[in-house]
Short mmCIF file of all heavy atoms in Angstrom, two decimals:
data_model
loop_
_atom_site.label_atom_id
_atom_site.label_comp_id
_atom_site.label_asym_id
_atom_site.label_seq_id
_atom_site.Cartn_x
_atom_site.Cartn_y
_atom_site.Cartn_z
N GLU R 1316 17.26 17.07 48.89
CA GLU R 1316 17.20 16.27 47.64
C GLU R 1316 16.76 14.93 48.03
O GLU R 1316 15.94 14.23 47.39
CB GLU R 1316 18.55 16.27 46.97
CG GLU R 1316 18.57 15.49 45.68
CD GLU R 1316 19.91 15.66 44.89
OE1 GLU R 1316 20.78 16.32 45.49
OE2 GLU R 1316 19.97 15.09 43.81
N GLU R 1343 3.26 27.34 52.39
CA GLU R 1343 3.76 28.32 53.26
C GLU R 1343 3.17 29.67 52.95
O GLU R 1343 2.79 30.44 53.84
CB GLU R 1343 5.25 28.31 53.24
CG GLU R 1343 5.89 29.29 54.38
CD GLU R 1343 7.35 29.30 54.29
OE1 GLU R 1343 8.01 28.47 53.55
OE2 GLU R 1343 8.01 30.03 55.06
N ARG R 1520 -14.08 20.65 28.25
CA ARG R 1520 -14.28 19.68 29.36
C ARG R 1520 -13.13 19.65 30.33
O ARG R 1520 -13.30 19.56 31.57
CB ARG R 1520 -14.49 18.33 28.83
CG ARG R 1520 -15.83 18.13 28.02
CD ARG R 1520 -15.80 16.79 27.31
NE ARG R 1520 -14.69 16.68 26.35
CZ ARG R 1520 -14.45 15.63 25.63
NH1 ARG R 1520 -15.19 14.51 25.79
NH2 ARG R 1520 -13.42 15.64 24.77
#
Side-chain angles (χ1 to χ4, degrees):
E1316 185 173 2
E1343 186 180 353
R1520 292 170 299 176

